[in-house]
Amino acid sequence: MQHARGFLKIVDDVKTRIREISVEETRQKLESGAPFYFVDVREDHEWSQGHAQGAIHLGRGILERDIEGKVADRQAEIVLYCGGGYRSALAADNLQLMGYRNVFSMAGGFKEWFAKGNPVTCE
């Protein structure tokens, strides 16, 4: 997908303020049983077509509205992902503005997660 220059400029700026985590690091966290929230911020139709096993869904359009109901602890670790790592970077920035202090965007997003053979489900 070709993204607009204006969008990429915003994402590049946001990435100077957020932390990213690799697909491999995220998978290791899941396998180790480390306590964290793994959040898919993609649209509903993307989620229903398949998502990372172990993830919960809070779409980008409702994330800020509903996050406090799912993650009350602002110190809890949260790993966000989208399709390619752009929307999750924007979401991570907003959660930081809301006071969440341990937020990461999964670089490469679901596309990389899937391409590397990590577990996916439609449930």
Side-chain angles (χ1 to χ4, degrees):
M1 171 182 258
Q2 186 71 16
H3 295 296
R5 281 183 287 176
F7 173 72
L8 293 175
K9 184 177 177 183
I10 291 170
V11 171
D12 287 343
D13 178 56
V14 161
K15 286 187 175 187
T16 67
R17 296 188 300 271
I18 62 132
R19 295 177 288 173
E20 290 187 294
I21 187 170
S22 71
V23 164
E24 293 81 13
E25 291 170 308
T26 304
R27 176 68 192 263
Q28 288 170 359
K29 283 182 175 296
L30 283 169
E31 289 175 349
S32 74
F36 75 102
Y37 293 88
F38 191 27
V39 182
D40 184 322
V41 299
R42 297 176 304 150
E43 300 293 324
D44 292 347
H45 72 277
E46 293 172 291
W47 167 265
S48 66
Q49 292 173 358
H51 50 272
Q53 191 170 340
I56 61 172
H57 185 232
L58 283 172
R60 183 77 185 92
I62 63 164
L63 178 69
E64 294 84 355
R65 183 192 74 194
D66 293 354
I67 189 67
E68 293 171 312
K70 296 282 185 181
V71 184
D73 179 4
R74 289 199 169 31
Q75 301 303 319
E77 185 170 341
I78 303 170
V79 175
L80 306 170
Y81 77 87
C82 61
Y86 299 96
R87 291 173 288 175
S88 58
L90 297 171
D93 191 45
N94 275 351
L95 291 187
Q96 288 178 164
L97 289 171
M98 292 177 70
Y100 288 90
R101 295 290 166 237
N102 205 7
V103 181
F104 298 85
S105 172
M106 189 174 76
F110 183 74
K111 290 174 190 166
E112 188 172 327
W113 179 268
F114 182 79
K116 292 191 172 178
N118 291 301
V120 173
T121 185
C122 292
E123 297 176 358

